[in-house]
Amino acid sequence: MRAPLSTVVVIATFQRPEYVEECLAHLERQTVSPDRIVVVDASPNDLTHEVVTRHPGVEYRRNPLGVGHTATSRAIGVEGAEEQIIAFIDDDAYADADWLERLLEPYADAGVAAVGGRARNGQPDEEHDGIGQIGLLLPDGRLTGYFAAAPDRAVEVDHMLGANMSVRASVVRELGGIRDFYPGTCLREETDIALRMRRRGLRIVYTPFAVVEHVGGRYARGRRFDSRYRYFGARNHVVLLATTLGWRDPHVRTYGRTVLRMTRREVIAGLRALKQRDGARAKLRGLGGAVQRASLDLVGTVAGVAAALRATSGSRRRGSPA
């Protein structure tokens, strides 16, 4: 059965051919079929292309920029799209059979600009964790996640999980397309378009009934939550707030104070480790870890400010509202 709204599903990938294979197999078992599936591959080899050739009707595109450009892969995937809805799913996210059908349901309300879905991670009690705080932009500039939570109804949110989200194509065009200001680990790239929507007063919905299993594929570089993750998390978050909301937005000003508070807490934790831990090695490990985390937060934030200034000054020269 075809979707009531024409839909293209875009998968951005980098050197995960076996995950793409499984992801496509799940998409091909949907109760409602998308009009098109596009795989955008940033890999330096042809292994993913070989996978796609085994799935008739799936379109293959390349991202020549390689690793660290997920948003560019998304932009390449939506280029020329004539469908009404653009759905994004990660290569390591395996969709339930009714995923697309349930993802499209909230669009029956013409006022809904974007819809995100739930990602099961296999963690204890994840369906209840943060159930009242899903996908929010907090007053202090931080973001909540909790995209594994399963409330009993769809709820309005400020942003979505990139592994399982969709947007009206007309809104993407109205906002000037998908931007890539988010290098490294690509953290916050999927949140960019969501906060630009919210700045315009558009509605975003999270539906717990459109579900994927997010298995967590291997990372191109390093490990999740390593020093790169922390640095780019700090950097890209500042870029996100400044380029989507604007420097004068209170979230941006407040977030600077939030970073200083977080840094102070890390330093205090390191000093406590000197008193509370037994043995010189344990004491130094506790102090060193705290200092490293505080330093990454501060250095990443400063780098983010510089990157955001470059991005916003460039936008002003081009006449963009960013």
Side-chain angles (χ1 to χ4, degrees):
M1 184 172 64
R2 283 291 176 188
L5 295 169
S6 58
T7 308
V8 57
V9 177
V10 176
I11 307 166
T13 187
F14 178 83
Q15 294 204 133
R16 288 176 173 177
E18 67 276 25
Y19 291 92
V20 172
E21 181 84 69
E22 189 66 23
C23 181
L24 290 174
H26 280 77
L27 291 177
E28 290 165 352
R29 295 195 290 266
Q30 293 295 298
T31 56
V32 165
S33 299
D35 293 83
R36 287 191 304 133
I37 299 174
V38 179
V39 173
V40 184
D41 182 21
S43 307
N45 54 49
D46 293 326
L47 296 178
T48 300
H49 181 251
E50 293 171 6
V51 167
V52 173
T53 60
R54 296 197 290 269
H55 294 265
V58 177
E59 184 178 345
Y60 178 86
R61 298 181 182 182
R62 285 200 58 81
N63 176 0
L65 297 181
V67 66
H69 294 278
T70 302
T72 295
S73 289
R74 295 191 197 274
I76 291 170
V78 307
E79 187 175 342
E82 298 180 352
E83 292 80 6
Q84 295 164 288
I85 305 298
I86 301 166
F88 297 98
I89 188 169
D90 277 6
D91 52 9
D92 60 352
Y94 304 152
D96 283 5
D98 62 348
W99 167 72
L100 186 58
E101 180 179 358
R102 304 308 296 268
L103 195 67
L104 293 174
E105 287 174 351
Y107 288 112
D109 183 342
V112 172
V115 179
R118 179 179 175 231
R120 293 191 307 264
N121 300 303
Q123 299 300 312
D125 207 38
E126 64 182 10
E127 66 274 18
H128 301 115
D129 191 22
I131 204 164
Q133 294 184 300
I134 303 166
L136 298 179
L137 172 63
L138 299 176
D140 65 3
R142 294 178 301 155
L143 295 168
T144 67
Y146 303 119
F147 294 113
D152 59 3
R153 58 185 176 83
V155 296
E156 291 200 22
V157 295
D158 294 319
H159 70 110
M160 303 167 286
L161 181 69
N164 182 4
M165 71 178 192
S166 64
V167 295
R168 290 191 189 271
S170 59
V171 172
V172 174
R173 290 191 289 269
E174 178 188 340
L175 294 175
I178 295 172
R179 312 182 306 187
D180 193 351
F181 296 151
Y182 308 96
T185 54
C186 301
L187 281 166
R188 301 296 184 256
E189 57 84 15
E190 75 270 43
T191 314
D192 181 281
I193 198 161
L195 292 193
R196 288 155 65 198
M197 289 180 189
R198 296 296 295 130
R199 186 184 187 188
R200 297 281 188 93
L202 301 176
R203 292 172 56 207
I204 302 174
V205 168
Y206 169 82
T207 173
F209 310 116
V211 183
V212 302
E213 180 184 3
H214 201 193
V215 298
R218 64 181 180 276
Y219 279 74
R221 295 175 181 167
R223 306 181 311 278
R224 190 169 189 182
F225 307 129
D226 61 10
S227 59
R228 291 184 72 253
Y229 186 96
R230 186 138 190 158
Y231 168 80
F232 282 108
R235 178 207 181 274
N236 291 357
H237 193 79
V238 176
V239 173
L240 172 75
L241 295 179
T243 61
T244 61
L245 303 178
W247 288 106
R248 297 182 180 179
D249 188 276
H251 294 92
V252 179
R253 295 195 300 271
T254 304
Y255 184 68
R257 295 192 291 271
T258 300
V259 172
L260 292 176
R261 285 198 301 272
M262 292 190 300
T263 302
R264 181 173 177 270
R265 282 199 297 267
E266 290 291 354
V267 172
I268 291 173
L271 294 174
R272 285 176 176 168
L274 291 176
K275 295 181 179 180
Q276 297 173 354
R277 294 192 180 188
D278 295 326
R281 182 174 296 180
K283 291 177 184 293
L284 290 175
R285 189 163 52 241
L287 177 62
V291 170
Q292 181 188 45
R293 291 189 295 272
S295 299
L296 289 168
D297 288 344
L298 284 176
V299 173
T301 298
V302 171
V305 170
L309 285 169
R310 290 193 298 271
T312 54
S313 62
S315 295
R316 284 194 296 271
R317 286 195 298 270
R318 293 189 299 269
S320 167

